[in-house]
Amino acid sequence: MPSLRIVTQNIWNVNDHWQERANAIGHNMVDLEVDIVCIQESTPDHFEYLKSHSFRRYPHANYAPSDDGSLTPYPLGLAIFSRLPALDRGKVDIEREREMRNPWMRIVQYMTVETPSGYSLAVFNTHLFLSDGQKEIGIKSCLDVMRRAQFAGCQHILAGDFNINLDTQPEYLAPLAEHQYADLWTAKNGSETGYTSPLDLKEPLSQRIDGFFTQRDSLDRMVSVSLVNTEAINEGSLLLSDHIGVMATMDLD
């Protein structure tokens, strides 16, 4: 059965041996035959390293900066790496983080690809607000972007680090549910926890904040959703990120 695999991964920026961690994640993506990787917390220099080293087998790469530099730059941008050619790509600014010392711009990045079976897939990558008062704004902004005319007729995959506990804060996710978008993890795995954050060698995972949403009428194309990049390297002393990655597998038949 031909399939397409997409991973979302908060890559933890340039903390703690970041090149070694990025290379290990890149190797995992090749081993798992992942087609599209959505990355959060990537600086411009970090992205250039990923493009030329860790993710060099993904020829179609796009970086979306989180800030234009006009106000206290905080360069934690987004990136999408794809094996499939991009038909369209870009980003939309949402709003600046209000309650942080560095009020960086939260954004939605998008890339539209044509799958080998001939239908269009629009992938949206985001890293949303830490501030409680802005969480609903972030979700509504993602929805506004996905509902643009340029993405009509595409299957939508919204991926990212939502900074919302997807199991216990449904009030923030209500706009997605109202417009018939489903949480892929719960649709495919039910009550199985699937926690992704915060990852620490000394503490158990306690939240599920990373994941995927798609239209309910596209759920029949989704085969599975699973956790990836869970292992530690350096004889078990180095985590690949402070988040667990999540992989969605789609049936292309």
Side-chain angles (χ1 to χ4, degrees), residues 36-196:
I36 299 172
V37 186
C38 298
I39 295 296
Q40 303 89 43
E41 292 198 21
S42 179
T43 66
D45 289 346
H46 182 275
F47 170 71
E48 290 301 322
Y49 180 85
L50 294 179
K51 188 168 66 171
S52 60
H53 294 82
S54 313
F55 292 87
R56 64 185 180 277
R57 297 190 184 185
Y58 293 82
H60 307 283
N62 179 243
Y63 182 72
S66 61
D67 209 307
D68 60 7
S70 63
L71 178 66
T72 316
Y74 199 89
L76 292 184
L78 308 175
I80 299 177
F81 296 86
S82 175
R83 289 179 172 175
L84 305 178
L87 305 176
D88 189 17
R89 64 182 78 185
K91 72 155 189 168
V92 178
D93 292 343
I94 300 177
E95 189 175 290
R96 291 189 181 277
E97 189 86 43
R98 297 173 189 163
E99 299 172 16
M100 305 295 292
R101 181 175 299 176
N102 290 298
W104 76 94
M105 181 68 75
R106 296 294 185 171
I107 61 178
V108 181
Q109 179 189 25
Y110 60 85
M111 179 182 286
T112 303
V113 301
E114 184 175 351
T115 69
S117 54
Y119 65 86
S120 295
L121 177 68
V123 179
F124 304 90
N125 181 26
T126 196
H127 185 188
L128 294 182
F129 296 98
L130 290 165
S131 307
D132 286 341
Q134 294 176 280
K135 291 184 185 295
E136 189 172 358
I137 292 171
I139 291 296
K140 287 182 175 179
S141 298
C142 290
L143 184 60
D144 288 343
V145 175
M146 292 190 293
R147 296 183 70 203
R148 290 183 174 186
Q150 72 194 89
F151 305 117
C154 299
Q155 179 175 353
H156 299 169
I157 296 286
L158 173 62
D161 172 0
F162 296 97
N163 277 319
I164 294 169
N165 193 324
L166 302 176
D167 297 318
T168 63
Q169 296 181 308
E171 65 274 16
Y172 296 125
L173 306 172
L176 289 172
E178 289 168 6
H179 287 86
Q180 301 303 305
Y181 285 87
D183 178 343
L184 288 187
W185 182 270
T186 56
K188 294 299 174 181
N189 299 317
S191 60
E192 185 180 340
T193 56
Y195 293 157
T196 59

Side-chain angles (χ1 to χ4, degrees), residues 12-26:
W12 203 20
N13 200 357
V14 290
N15 298 297
D16 292 354
H17 306 281
W18 67 270
Q19 293 177 337
E20 188 173 355
R21 292 190 298 100
N23 289 341
I25 291 172

Side-chain angles (χ1 to χ4, degrees), residues 225-247:
V225 185
S226 57
L227 301 181
V228 294
N229 300 330
T230 60
E231 70 276 18
I233 57 175
N234 280 11
E235 298 181 346
S237 66
L238 180 62
L239 299 169
L240 299 190
S241 177
D242 62 340
H243 291 240
I244 298 292
V246 186
M247 181 173 72

